[in-house]
Amino acid sequence: MEKELDEKKQGTSLVLEQKAENTKKLFIESYGCAMNFSDSEIVASILTEQGYNTTQNLEEADLVLVNTCSIRDKAEQTVRKRLEKYNAIKRSINPGMKVGVLGCMAERLKDQFLEQEKIVDMVVGPDAYKDLPNLLKEVDEGRDAINVILSKEETYGDIAPVRLNSNGVNAFVSITRGCDNMCTFCVVPFTRGRERSREPQSILEEIKDLWDRGFKEICLLGQNVDSYLWYGGGLKKDFVKATEMQKATAVDFAQLLEQCAIAFPKMRFRFSTSNPQDMHEEVLHVIAKYDNVCNYIHLPVQSGSTRILKEMNRQHTREEYMELVDKIKRIIPGCSISQDMISGFPTETEEDHQDTLSLMEYVEYDFGYMFAYSERPGTLAARKMEDDVPEEVKKRRLQDIVDLQQVLSEKRTKRFLGQTVEILIEKESKKSDKHWSGRNSENVVTVFPKEHYKPGDFVLVKVSDCTTATLIGEAVGYSEMQIV
């Protein structure tokens, strides 16, 4: 499983519109991938109906929740420090405060948190958020509360997430939960369960609601969106047991993406994350066919060595990955491709590392998420493989990967110089309150003078300059996507 970790968002505390009748205060913050932030919106929606308003003042909170990630050791250590902070405030300022852990780390460390360390009152796994009202009653009555049961059916398709800290322009819509891939380095199949897909109509209804509220871009979200398969409910692995009618009327990801593009022609669509072995050519043709589906694919590979890919149980070879990249470039010329890469996986040699660097040069990634290997308890790699690559070697190889990506990113960004690109304005530029910031279809950040434009506008920008990862230009008018 791959995670897109936006370091700028880590630890964000969430705020939504206050309801006058709600009297209790909720402080909720999130760590990890986009799926965790999306899940926090579901939790906030449930607790709003239980009388909670969000607060950013930790000291006044009646309930403090942290949505956690187990993908890297650094994320777990950060969450532990936050739990220490919560409990210090609980002891000295607010003894009535209740503390709960949500998400992947909750499922993995349930006994440790509740019974051994006694640092939380409540542990709630990723499939148990609807049980929050019952768990809160348990806590109010003085008992520890826990539900980390993984579901075969739960997709939260019937809950309209509250959009937290939203810019009103972009939103995530979850379409799958869980993962079947069992990569040896990853905890997700154990913390989020097996793969299941959400009913298409509920997805389209959620997008319609977002469109009515003025949102302009949707990212279809899942641990592995390309393996989306709706045949009436249930686990993907049980599709083989489906009836002939269910199989005949099943909806796969290419069909879902096309339904979205057709139903909302003025809404822009992205998706994440893709696993190479599950990305079928039909999806590429949908991207090429519809202008409102972005020319961008996040295509994690983790290593350029076929031997290491086999050790990781990635279910594809270096050559198969390269063939897929060739297909992407042929069907969608100019498509941006980004990567996830791990340096120093067990048994990785210098030859394996060179294979990774040469693969990066072959693909010419636009950008990437790059990490040194971090052994995660409970994974097959932790149980069966010795973490035998020295830390200094991991760091040196990681730096090689980062340095090469910098060169590739600069080259790929420069291809837009002199071109006119379509930008969806998302927010004010971080560096200047006189400039807007948005992304083009290829996911490259672009800044330009504000003039009379506003967030949510689709604008044509003539690119005159760039940094390694940002385009700089001036608006020359609205694009065809703009509703007049």
Side-chain angles (χ1 to χ4, degrees), residues 115-129:
E115 296 169 13
Q116 297 172 28
E117 301 179 30
K118 301 187 185 301
I119 53 175
V120 299
D121 305 291
M122 180 168 62
V123 174
V124 190
D127 290 346
Y129 299 141

Side-chain angles (χ1 to χ4, degrees), residues 150-338:
L150 293 173
S151 170
K152 294 182 179 181
E153 292 87 25
E154 185 61 77
T155 63
Y156 299 110
D158 58 333
I159 294 177
V162 176
R163 303 296 160 177
L164 300 160
N165 286 0
S166 171
N167 58 10
V169 178
N170 320 86
F172 291 114
V173 172
S174 296
I175 66 169
T176 71
R177 295 185 75 84
C179 186
D180 288 348
N181 286 334
M182 307 303 283
C183 298
T184 58
F185 55 80
C186 186
V187 296
V188 166
F190 309 107
T191 59
R192 285 189 173 270
R194 301 304 295 264
E195 222 166 89
R196 63 269 189 204
S197 298
R198 184 175 160 192
E199 197 270 323
Q201 192 57 39
S202 74
I203 295 169
L204 292 168
E205 287 170 1
E206 184 175 339
I207 295 170
K208 172 66 164 59
D209 176 65
L210 289 163
W211 172 255
D212 290 344
R213 289 158 56 191
F215 285 80
K216 296 296 179 65
E217 182 179 282
I218 299 299
C219 181
L220 301 175
L221 189 65
Q223 260 78 33
N224 186 9
V225 290
D226 294 282
S227 65
Y228 176 90
L229 183 64
W230 172 261
Y231 62 97
L235 299 178
K236 186 188 175 184
K237 71 181 182 67
D238 292 335
F239 181 64
V240 292
K241 304 174 188 174
T243 65
E244 291 306 311
M245 178 61 76
Q246 285 176 316
K247 289 178 179 177
T249 57
V251 177
D252 66 13
F253 182 60
Q255 292 167 318
L256 176 69
L257 186 60
E258 185 165 41
Q259 287 180 21
C260 293
I262 292 171
F264 304 96
K266 298 293 186 179
M267 178 81 87
R268 194 154 78 168
F269 290 93
R270 301 183 188 274
F271 56 88
S272 186
T273 290
S274 297
N275 270 301
Q277 70 271 20
D278 296 309
M279 173 158 266
H280 303 297
E281 186 173 320
E282 291 83 357
V283 174
L284 305 181
H285 288 294
V286 172
I287 298 172
K289 183 177 180 180
Y290 295 96
D291 290 339
N292 60 331
V293 180
C294 290
N295 293 337
Y296 165 63
I297 298 172
H298 183 54
L299 196 65
V301 64
Q302 311 300 356
S303 173
S305 161
T306 292
R307 188 185 71 80
I308 292 295
L309 290 171
K310 186 175 181 181
E311 293 290 323
M312 291 176 165
N313 193 35
R314 289 292 290 165
Q315 301 171 49
H316 63 83
T317 65
R318 168 192 176 92
E319 290 72 26
E320 287 167 341
Y321 185 89
M322 292 165 77
E323 287 173 14
L324 176 57
V325 168
D326 291 344
K327 197 177 289 186
I328 292 170
K329 291 181 176 182
R330 185 178 72 250
I331 296 171
I332 318 165
C335 184
S336 284
I337 303 173
S338 59

Side-chain angles (χ1 to χ4, degrees), residues 39 51 87 96 293 330 364 473:
D39 278 2
N87 278 282
V293 180
R330 185 178 72 250
E364 294 190 327

Side-chain angles (χ1 to χ4, degrees), residues 40 42 85 88 155 208 238 334 388 402:
S40 290
I42 290 169
K85 169 81 170 175
T155 63
K208 172 66 164 59
D238 292 335
D388 60 354
V402 171

